[in-house]
Amino acid sequence: MTRLSSRMSYREAHQELELLWKVEVSKSSMRDVTMRHGHVAAALIREEVVHLETTAPTPSAQPEQVVMCTDGAMVQLTSGEWREVKTVTFGEFRPHWDAKRGKVVTKTDNISYFSRAENADTFGRSALVEWHRRGGENAHTVVAVQDGALWIQSFIDYHCPQATRVIDFAHAQEYVAKVGRAIHGAETDAFQQWYARMSKQLGRQPPRRTINDLRLLQRQHPDHPEMETIELAIRYLEKRLPMIDYPHFRRRQIPIGSGNVESGHKVVMQQRMKQAGMRWAEENLNPMLALRVALCNQTWNANWRKIEVRVRKEKYPVTAEQNQDVTQTTKPRVVTEADCRRLTALADRIGRKKRHPWRNNDWLFPHRQNSIHQN
């Protein structure tokens, strides 16, 4: 029930159970069971975070090159408000020869996800679980591709300050396009030609050249009504020059796109939690996300065993008296001198009883050697 409900809506899961297994379970029962297990899964993640922070164990995974992409997407609550679900993806990248394109391209595989509806600081701590599982601390190279948001920079500082930071190429193109649309117009041929040339230059030339061309275009239109938009777009790129040095990144054969996290929003959250007409209670966001992450990372079996153990302990709690009884029964007992005297007296009493033949019915047949009554 929980696995089905984490894959599809409660109504669809209810229909599947009834159709395939002839089991009739109401949608409310499906919701209750799934959320009970989801809350346990979320609690287990919080406990694991505390364990990692207090013990700092060495991760077992040994990746060579890791790329992590971080972003946020919105989900609607039952109150009508919207909450941001933050997602980080981890993958391993390597150069790959593309025969169709006739060149070496960077390929990312073995992608995993982690999503939570939390503030930036709490999300950074919670993501320790997946960061540790993927062995990020053991990686030789870590690349962080993102959109340049301040909370994402803090997230990278928390996990891997020495990571190579890259602004997603499409995101940088959007800021270049803002300048062109403001000056040339959004749908004009002049803008299309200018944008194609600037995008090619951004990807192949040093970033300072692109910034200089944008500044020159700005000075040529000093009285433009959208001067503030132009200034903000150029200033955004100027502050992040090391992160938009795409020719340098291409030479090092490291990723420059954050498509992993964009697809991660669809795979983890949107596919299940943003269907038509769906709204969520805020306290149910993280429980469902915990189940979705286990499902999408193909770690369902291991996580489900932990959930079962926790649910069983909550259903059948062990009291202090039971623990004390177990301790007393398992504790080895020391044989004292008084115990020896008591056992000796018991043996003597048993021996005296055997001296009386009438106690074992031998007096009935005193001359038969093989009496059926003989003990």
Side-chain angles (χ1 to χ4, degrees), residues 18 75 91 95 97 102 108 113 147 162 175 221 232 317 347-348 364:
E18 185 176 1
V75 63
W97 173 256
T108 303
Y113 314 92
D147 61 7
Q162 70 275 15
Y175 279 88
H221 301 80
L232 291 176
D348 292 341
L364 294 175

Side-chain angles (χ1 to χ4, degrees), residues 2 39 56 63 73 127 133 188 192-193 201 225 236 238 267 286 290 294 311 323 326 342 375:
T2 302
H39 281 283
R133 189 182 76 87
T188 62
Q192 298 296 335
Q193 296 175 3
Q201 176 176 296
Y236 178 90
E238 279 183 332
V267 171
N286 286 332
V311 171
N323 285 331
V326 171
R342 187 165 55 253
N375 291 336

Side-chain angles (χ1 to χ4, degrees), residues 62-352:
Q62 300 286 336
E64 181 64 24
Q65 299 183 119
V66 171
V67 56
M68 62 178 181
C69 304
T70 314
D71 197 13
M74 306 303 290
V75 63
Q76 192 173 17
L77 303 180
T78 53
S79 62
E81 300 178 355
W82 292 81
R83 286 290 181 272
E84 184 181 38
V85 174
K86 297 177 175 62
T87 299
V88 58
T89 63
F90 299 96
E92 300 179 27
F93 67 93
R94 57 184 176 83
H96 172 73
W97 173 256
D98 191 338
K100 293 183 178 180
R101 301 169 64 180
K103 63 178 182 179
V104 176
V105 297
T106 302
K107 182 179 180 180
T108 303
D109 51 16
N110 195 16
I111 299 173
S112 64
Y113 314 92
F114 188 83
S115 298
R116 281 294 176 276
E118 298 171 333
N119 59 51
D121 294 337
T122 307
F123 176 70
R125 293 181 61 247
S126 300
L128 275 174
V129 174
E130 190 63 20
W131 170 259
H132 177 80
R133 189 182 76 87
R134 295 303 304 271
E137 297 177 0
N138 296 332
H140 180 267
T141 303
V142 178
V143 177
V145 186
Q146 22 76 36
D147 61 7
L150 292 179
W151 74 265
I152 298 180
Q153 302 306 314
S154 301
F155 178 88
I156 300 171
D157 290 337
Y158 182 81
H159 290 283
C160 188
Q162 70 275 15
T164 301
R165 310 185 188 211
V166 181
I167 298 293
D168 173 55
F169 184 71
H171 191 74
Q173 281 181 308
E174 180 61 29
Y175 279 88
V176 173
K178 286 182 179 180
V179 180
R181 292 193 192 98
I183 293 178
H184 297 291
E187 304 296 335
T188 62
D189 293 337
F191 167 72
Q192 298 296 335
Q193 296 175 3
W194 176 88
Y195 179 67
R197 177 176 62 83
M198 294 298 292
S199 295
K200 185 176 181 180
Q201 176 176 296
L202 180 66
R204 297 185 179 182
Q205 299 294 330
R208 177 54 66 181
R209 179 171 179 178
T210 301
I211 298 298
N212 291 339
D213 288 350
L214 294 177
R215 284 297 184 189
L216 177 61
L217 190 63
Q218 180 188 27
R219 288 193 292 269
Q220 291 175 350
H221 301 80
D223 300 326
H224 198 279
E226 298 187 39
M227 182 57 64
E228 184 178 358
T229 300
I230 297 172
E231 177 63 26
L232 291 176
I234 298 176
R235 190 180 302 171
Y236 178 90
L237 297 174
E238 279 183 332
K239 291 181 178 180
R240 296 164 176 81
L241 279 178
M243 303 182 192
I244 61 173
D245 193 356
Y246 300 112
H248 173 67
F249 300 147
R250 292 180 187 275
R251 287 192 296 269
R252 293 182 55 190
Q253 296 178 343
I254 63 177
I256 61 172
S258 62
N260 294 335
V261 72
E262 298 295 337
S263 62
H265 290 313
K266 299 177 182 178
V267 171
V268 178
M269 188 264 290
Q270 295 177 5
Q271 191 176 57
R272 173 62 181 89
M273 304 176 68
K274 291 191 72 173
Q275 298 181 22
M278 279 191 177
R279 295 187 179 188
W280 291 83
E282 189 167 9
E283 62 272 13
N284 291 339
L285 290 178
N286 286 332
M288 178 55 73
L289 289 171
L291 297 174
R292 290 291 301 171
V293 166
L295 194 66
C296 297
N297 289 346
Q298 299 181 1
T299 58
W300 179 272
N301 291 338
N303 285 273
W304 183 251
R305 285 193 292 269
K306 297 178 182 178
I307 293 173
E308 279 186 317
V309 171
R310 177 59 58 85
V311 171
R312 193 176 298 113
K313 286 183 178 179
E314 293 178 354
K315 188 175 183 180
Y316 305 104
V318 178
T319 61
E321 291 79 4
Q322 291 174 329
N323 285 331
Q324 186 177 1
D325 293 340
V326 171
T327 304
Q328 291 177 355
T329 55
T330 57
K331 182 178 179 181
R333 182 179 178 183
V334 179
V335 179
T336 63
E337 183 65 26
D339 294 332
C340 294
R341 289 195 297 269
R342 187 165 55 253
L343 291 174
T344 302
L346 178 62
D348 292 341
R349 287 198 301 271
I350 294 174
R352 285 195 299 270

